[in-house]
mmCIF file of all heavy atoms in Angstrom:
data_model
loop_
_atom_site.group_PDB
_atom_site.id
_atom_site.type_symbol
_atom_site.label_atom_id
_atom_site.label_comp_id
_atom_site.label_asym_id
_atom_site.label_seq_id
_atom_site.Cartn_x
_atom_site.Cartn_y
_atom_site.Cartn_z
ATOM 1 N N GLU A 26 19.031 -87.484 -32.064
ATOM 2 C CA GLU A 26 19.223 -88.714 -31.288
ATOM 3 C C GLU A 26 18.094 -89.692 -31.558
ATOM 4 O O GLU A 26 18.317 -90.881 -31.729
ATOM 5 C CB GLU A 26 19.270 -88.395 -29.796
ATOM 6 C CG GLU A 26 20.527 -87.683 -29.352
ATOM 7 C CD GLU A 26 20.464 -87.271 -27.891
ATOM 8 O OE1 GLU A 26 19.566 -87.758 -27.169
ATOM 9 O OE2 GLU A 26 21.305 -86.461 -27.481
ATOM 10 N N THR A 27 16.861 -89.198 -31.607
ATOM 11 C CA THR A 27 15.713 -90.056 -31.878
ATOM 12 C C THR A 27 15.851 -90.704 -33.245
ATOM 13 O O THR A 27 15.617 -91.892 -33.401
ATOM 14 C CB THR A 27 14.410 -89.233 -31.824
ATOM 15 O OG1 THR A 27 14.326 -88.611 -30.546
ATOM 16 C CG2 THR A 27 13.201 -90.107 -32.044
ATOM 17 N N HIS A 28 16.271 -89.926 -34.252
ATOM 18 C CA HIS A 28 16.432 -90.464 -35.599
ATOM 19 C C HIS A 28 17.498 -91.553 -35.619
ATOM 20 O O HIS A 28 17.309 -92.601 -36.216
ATOM 21 C CB HIS A 28 16.797 -89.343 -36.578
ATOM 22 C CG HIS A 28 17.020 -89.837 -37.981
ATOM 23 N ND1 HIS A 28 15.995 -90.325 -38.754
ATOM 24 C CD2 HIS A 28 18.142 -89.965 -38.717
ATOM 25 C CE1 HIS A 28 16.476 -90.713 -39.915
ATOM 26 N NE2 HIS A 28 17.773 -90.505 -39.925
ATOM 27 N N GLU A 29 18.619 -91.325 -34.947
ATOM 28 C CA GLU A 29 19.690 -92.322 -34.917
ATOM 29 C C GLU A 29 19.223 -93.610 -34.247
ATOM 30 O O GLU A 29 19.558 -94.691 -34.675
ATOM 31 C CB GLU A 29 20.908 -91.766 -34.171
ATOM 32 C CG GLU A 29 21.708 -90.794 -35.003
ATOM 33 C CD GLU A 29 22.922 -90.274 -34.250
ATOM 34 O OE1 GLU A 29 23.407 -90.982 -33.338
ATOM 35 O OE2 GLU A 29 23.369 -89.167 -34.570
ATOM 36 N N MET A 30 18.443 -93.506 -33.192
ATOM 37 C CA MET A 30 17.979 -94.694 -32.482
ATOM 38 C C MET A 30 17.045 -95.524 -33.344
ATOM 39 O O MET A 30 16.988 -96.715 -33.210
ATOM 40 C CB MET A 30 17.260 -94.299 -31.190
ATOM 41 C CG MET A 30 18.195 -93.729 -30.151
ATOM 42 S SD MET A 30 17.449 -93.402 -28.549
ATOM 43 C CE MET A 30 15.786 -92.969 -28.877
ATOM 44 N N LYS A 31 16.310 -94.908 -34.257
ATOM 45 C CA LYS A 31 15.319 -95.614 -35.053
ATOM 46 C C LYS A 31 15.911 -96.311 -36.277
ATOM 47 O O LYS A 31 15.247 -97.070 -36.921
ATOM 48 C CB LYS A 31 14.234 -94.631 -35.480
ATOM 49 C CG LYS A 31 13.569 -93.950 -34.307
ATOM 50 C CD LYS A 31 12.098 -94.051 -34.394
ATOM 51 C CE LYS A 31 11.407 -93.301 -33.302
ATOM 52 N NZ LYS A 31 11.365 -93.975 -32.041
ATOM 53 N N VAL A 32 17.169 -96.038 -36.617
ATOM 54 C CA VAL A 32 17.783 -96.600 -37.816
ATOM 55 C C VAL A 32 17.759 -98.127 -37.797
ATOM 56 O O VAL A 32 17.391 -98.753 -38.768
ATOM 57 C CB VAL A 32 19.223 -96.069 -38.004
ATOM 58 C CG1 VAL A 32 19.930 -96.804 -39.114
ATOM 59 C CG2 VAL A 32 19.194 -94.580 -38.285
ATOM 60 N N GLY A 33 18.141 -98.752 -36.693
ATOM 61 C CA GLY A 33 18.193 -100.205 -36.620
ATOM 62 C C GLY A 33 16.869 -100.854 -36.314
ATOM 63 O O GLY A 33 16.759 -102.059 -36.256
ATOM 64 N N VAL A 34 15.827 -100.067 -36.125
ATOM 65 C CA VAL A 34 14.547 -100.596 -35.700
ATOM 66 C C VAL A 34 13.882 -101.455 -36.772
ATOM 67 O O VAL A 34 13.244 -102.440 -36.453
ATOM 68 C CB VAL A 34 13.612 -99.441 -35.261
ATOM 69 C CG1 VAL A 34 12.233 -99.950 -34.959
ATOM 70 C CG2 VAL A 34 14.185 -98.738 -34.051
ATOM 71 N N LEU A 35 14.043 -101.121 -38.042
ATOM 72 C CA LEU A 35 13.348 -101.849 -39.106
ATOM 73 C C LEU A 35 13.665 -103.334 -39.065
ATOM 74 O O LEU A 35 12.763 -104.166 -39.035
ATOM 75 C CB LEU A 35 13.684 -101.269 -40.477
ATOM 76 C CG LEU A 35 13.010 -101.964 -41.662
ATOM 77 C CD1 LEU A 35 11.495 -101.876 -41.546
ATOM 78 C CD2 LEU A 35 13.480 -101.359 -42.964
ATOM 79 N N ARG A 36 14.941 -103.705 -39.068
ATOM 80 C CA ARG A 36 15.270 -105.133 -39.075
ATOM 81 C C ARG A 36 14.812 -105.818 -37.787
ATOM 82 O O ARG A 36 14.424 -106.979 -37.796
ATOM 83 C CB ARG A 36 16.750 -105.351 -39.358
ATOM 84 C CG ARG A 36 17.686 -105.028 -38.253
ATOM 85 C CD ARG A 36 19.114 -105.512 -38.546
ATOM 86 N NE ARG A 36 19.965 -105.139 -37.462
ATOM 87 C CZ ARG A 36 20.681 -104.025 -37.411
ATOM 88 N NH1 ARG A 36 20.665 -103.190 -38.422
ATOM 89 N NH2 ARG A 36 21.417 -103.753 -36.360
ATOM 90 N N GLN A 37 14.824 -105.070 -36.675
ATOM 91 C CA GLN A 37 14.352 -105.648 -35.415
ATOM 92 C C GLN A 37 12.851 -105.889 -35.453
ATOM 93 O O GLN A 37 12.374 -106.939 -35.010
ATOM 94 C CB GLN A 37 14.715 -104.731 -34.250
ATOM 95 C CG GLN A 37 16.210 -104.658 -34.003
ATOM 96 C CD GLN A 37 16.597 -103.551 -33.029
ATOM 97 O OE1 GLN A 37 15.780 -102.716 -32.674
ATOM 98 N NE2 GLN A 37 17.847 -103.552 -32.618
ATOM 99 N N GLU A 38 12.112 -104.936 -35.996
ATOM 100 C CA GLU A 38 10.656 -105.094 -36.093
ATOM 101 C C GLU A 38 10.292 -106.228 -37.040
ATOM 102 O O GLU A 38 9.393 -107.016 -36.762
ATOM 103 C CB GLU A 38 9.986 -103.788 -36.536
ATOM 104 C CG GLU A 38 10.064 -102.683 -35.515
ATOM 105 C CD GLU A 38 9.332 -102.963 -34.219
ATOM 106 O OE1 GLU A 38 8.398 -103.798 -34.201
ATOM 107 O OE2 GLU A 38 9.698 -102.357 -33.203
ATOM 108 N N ILE A 39 10.999 -106.324 -38.169
ATOM 109 C CA ILE A 39 10.748 -107.429 -39.106
ATOM 110 C C ILE A 39 10.987 -108.760 -38.392
ATOM 111 O O ILE A 39 10.173 -109.682 -38.482
ATOM 112 C CB ILE A 39 11.637 -107.304 -40.363
ATOM 113 C CG1 ILE A 39 11.156 -106.140 -41.229
ATOM 114 C CG2 ILE A 39 11.653 -108.609 -41.168
ATOM 115 C CD1 ILE A 39 12.063 -105.806 -42.395
ATOM 116 N N GLY A 40 12.099 -108.852 -37.682
ATOM 117 C CA GLY A 40 12.416 -110.080 -36.958
ATOM 118 C C GLY A 40 11.370 -110.432 -35.921
ATOM 119 O O GLY A 40 10.959 -111.591 -35.797
ATOM 120 N N GLU A 41 10.920 -109.426 -35.162
ATOM 121 C CA GLU A 41 9.908 -109.693 -34.130
ATOM 122 C C GLU A 41 8.593 -110.146 -34.742
ATOM 123 O O GLU A 41 7.945 -111.052 -34.223
ATOM 124 C CB GLU A 41 9.708 -108.449 -33.272
ATOM 125 C CG GLU A 41 10.863 -108.205 -32.317
ATOM 126 C CD GLU A 41 10.630 -107.000 -31.420
ATOM 127 O OE1 GLU A 41 9.461 -106.691 -31.113
ATOM 128 O OE2 GLU A 41 11.623 -106.384 -31.012
#
Side-chain angles (χ1 to χ4, degrees):
E26 289 174 13
T27 303
H28 178 69
E29 283 181 25
M30 291 186 328
K31 303 231 184 280
V32 171
V34 174
L35 180 61
R36 74 170 179 267
Q37 292 169 350
E38 292 296 337
I39 289 172
E41 286 183 29

